[in-house]
């Protein structure tokens, strides 16, 4: 890719990147990444482990120099204006960056003091954040005694003691239970409503579906697809057939029928009675129903819907998403 040193410079963008490259030994961890992210939006960065998500974020957050390419954060050149950029950004990584031996209040006050707050201002800001993040009851508890969801919330709170214009969130909900994950999602939505731009890396496709205004799929250091959730889903087909069997014993026969008639990968749901497959042709769906009836396979539910983001991920990367691995589903 030819290096382009001209930024769009329209004032509408939080991030503009052209041809970013980072090489470690013989591996191109980031291989010509282009990004354009509007202010006040959430950009979801999807990809399997080792795809280049975290390395890209570290470059954009001024923690790692790029070997090639150019980037601008709010119009500031990444190469020459890193000090100005750091005043407007914050990063929450995959692991907590706070002191586990301190209490929640002590952690937030310490960070506020380091950011120039007076002692009184630091205490007030810490109290505000603890209440906003539902941690008021745990303010005097050591962080090492927090649950996983509480630890992630206090970590994000620490990232916004001074509310950033741009927040990098690197897999913020990895390992959290659904309730804690939803709490973190609510926090992110609140930040965006207040004007913060968020670049979110995740392996949880539902997370990107719920939060991201735009999604980029990265693999082997390259962005291989980009668009809204609806646009990416449309790229893999117009419809998905969802089958709910009345009896789990019929799973193998139903699987064979779907595979033979639709000629598409079959997705097994979280239980043994749920199957999905891409189905663009309504005539083939009718044949599936006819064959089910002929073989006396009873259904408790059947519907046609849009492809899921899981199917997009599988088609683009050839890999099962972390979300599907966590739910115990298999894909053939």
């Amino acid at each position: 890719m030819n290096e382009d040193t001209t930024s769009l410079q329209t004032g509408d963008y939080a991030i503009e990147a052209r041809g970013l490259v980072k090489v470690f030994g013989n591996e191109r961890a980031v291989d010509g990444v282009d990004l354009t992210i509007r202010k006040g939006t959430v950009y979801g960065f999807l990809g399997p482990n080792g795809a280049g998500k975290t390395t890209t974020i570290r470059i954009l957050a001024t923690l790692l120099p790029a070997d090639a390419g150019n980037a601008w954060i709010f119009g500031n050149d990444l190469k020459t204006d890193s000090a100005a950029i750091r005043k407007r950004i914050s990063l929450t990584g995959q692991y907590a960056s706070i002191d586990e031996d301190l209490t929640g209040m002590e952690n937030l006050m310490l960070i506020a003091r380091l950011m120039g707050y007076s002692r009184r201002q630091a205490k007030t800001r810490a109290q505000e954040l603890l209440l906003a993040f539902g941690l008021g009851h745990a303010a005097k508890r050591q962080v090492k005694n927090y649950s996983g969801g509480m630890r992630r919330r206090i970590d994000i709170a620490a990232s916004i003691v001074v509310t950033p214009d741009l927040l990098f969130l690197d897999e913020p909900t990895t390992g959290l239970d659904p309730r804690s994950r939803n709490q973190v999602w609510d926090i992110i939505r609140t930040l965006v409503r207040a004007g913060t731009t968020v670049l979110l890396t995740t392996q949880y496709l539902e997370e990107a579906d719920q939060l991201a205004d735009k999604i980029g799929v990265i693999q082997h250091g390259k962005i291989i697809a980009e668009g809204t959730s609806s646009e990416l889903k449309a790229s893999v087909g117009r419809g998905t057939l969802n089958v709910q069997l009345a009896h789990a014993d019929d799973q193998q026969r139903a699987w064979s029928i779907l595979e033979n008639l639709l000629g598409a990968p079959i997705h097994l749901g979280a239980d043994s009675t749920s199957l999905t497959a891409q189905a663009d042709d309504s005539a083939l769906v009718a044949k599936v129903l006819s064959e089910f009836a002929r073989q006396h396979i009873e259904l408790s539910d059947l519907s046609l819907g849009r492809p899921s983001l899981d199917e997009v991920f599988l088609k683009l990367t050839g890999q099962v998403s972390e979300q599907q691995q966590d739910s115990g589903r298999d894909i053939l």
Side-chain angles (χ1 to χ4, degrees):
M1 178 175 180
N2 293 327
E3 187 170 300
D4 184 354
T5 58
T6 304
S7 170
L8 298 178
Q9 295 294 320
T10 64
D12 294 331
Y13 299 99
I15 298 176
E16 306 166 63
R18 307 285 181 83
L20 290 182
V21 173
K22 187 63 184 178
V23 180
F24 297 106
N26 296 322
E27 178 187 357
R28 294 174 73 87
V30 178
D31 192 9
V33 164
D34 295 335
L35 283 175
T36 304
I37 301 176
R38 287 189 174 275
K39 293 178 180 177
T41 64
V42 178
Y43 187 94
F45 221 15
L46 293 181
N49 283 328
K53 304 187 299 295
T54 297
T55 302
T56 301
I57 275 193
R58 287 177 61 80
I59 292 172
L60 295 172
T62 75
L63 297 177
L64 195 66
D67 293 322
N70 298 276
W72 299 263
I73 309 296
F74 298 110
N76 295 298
D77 192 301
L78 194 65
K79 294 178 180 177
T80 59
D81 301 329
S82 59
I85 290 170
R86 287 173 186 152
K87 293 178 181 179
R88 304 188 66 178
I89 67 174
S90 187
L91 167 66
T92 297
Q94 297 175 25
Y95 305 100
S97 58
I98 51 183
D99 190 330
E100 294 190 348
D101 290 325
L102 298 181
T103 67
M105 173 66 79
E106 289 169 340
N107 266 290
L108 296 184
M109 284 190 65
L110 173 62
I111 293 169
R113 293 285 284 155
L114 291 172
M115 299 298 293
Y117 284 68
S118 69
R119 182 174 295 277
R120 178 178 294 180
Q121 291 171 330
K123 184 175 181 180
T124 299
R125 181 57 174 157
Q127 290 172 333
E128 290 173 349
L129 289 169
L130 288 165
L131 290 174
F133 282 64
L135 294 170
H137 67 287
K140 296 182 179 180
R141 192 187 307 172
Q142 286 179 303
V143 170
K144 65 184 178 183
N145 296 318
Y146 281 16
S147 68
M150 292 167 67
R151 288 161 66 98
R152 292 309 286 156
R153 279 183 278 155
I154 193 70
D155 200 37
I156 296 174
S159 300
I160 61 169
V161 168
V162 176
T163 305
D165 294 319
L166 172 60
L167 177 60
F168 296 100
L169 289 175
D170 193 8
E171 301 191 15
T173 63
T174 296
L176 297 188
D177 60 84
R179 180 174 178 274
S180 297
R181 188 171 296 161
N182 284 329
Q183 290 173 334
V184 173
W185 291 355
D186 288 340
I187 291 167
I188 294 170
R189 293 186 182 105
T190 299
L191 288 170
V192 174
R193 284 196 296 269
T196 296
T197 304
V198 175
L199 175 53
L200 167 76
T201 75
T202 181
Q203 293 188 63
Y204 294 113
L205 305 190
E206 183 186 3
E207 187 159 89
D209 219 354
Q210 287 280 337
L211 297 174
D213 300 289
K214 194 173 182 181
I215 297 168
V217 182
I218 185 169
Q219 188 174 38
H220 304 308
K222 297 177 181 289
I223 294 181
I224 57 176
E226 188 177 52
T228 65
S229 177
S230 296
E231 289 168 345
L232 292 177
K233 290 173 183 178
S235 72
V236 303
R238 295 187 301 275
T240 298
L241 177 64
N242 304 296
V243 174
Q244 192 74 39
L245 303 172
H247 307 291
D249 291 345
D250 291 330
Q251 181 201 94
Q252 190 57 54
R253 289 192 297 142
W255 192 308
S256 297
I257 291 170
L258 291 170
E259 193 170 48
N260 291 335
L261 292 179
L262 299 180
I266 312 303
H267 299 233
L268 175 62
D271 58 54
S272 57
T273 62
S274 178
L275 299 164
T276 64
Q278 185 178 329
D280 295 338
D281 190 336
S282 58
L284 289 180
V285 174
K287 288 182 179 180
V288 167
L289 289 175
S290 177
E291 188 62 19
F292 280 170
R294 191 184 71 80
Q295 295 197 29
H296 304 290
I297 295 176
E298 294 183 37
L299 304 179
S300 60
D301 192 23
L302 182 140
S303 63
L304 277 170
R306 291 192 307 169
S308 69
L309 211 51
D310 289 283
E311 292 171 273
V312 174
F313 191 87
L314 176 65
K315 181 172 181 180
L316 292 173
T317 68
Q319 297 188 35
V320 179
S321 73
E322 184 75 16
Q323 182 174 325
Q324 286 181 303
Q325 293 173 4
D326 284 355
S327 66
R329 288 180 289 177
D330 298 315
I331 293 181
L332 294 186

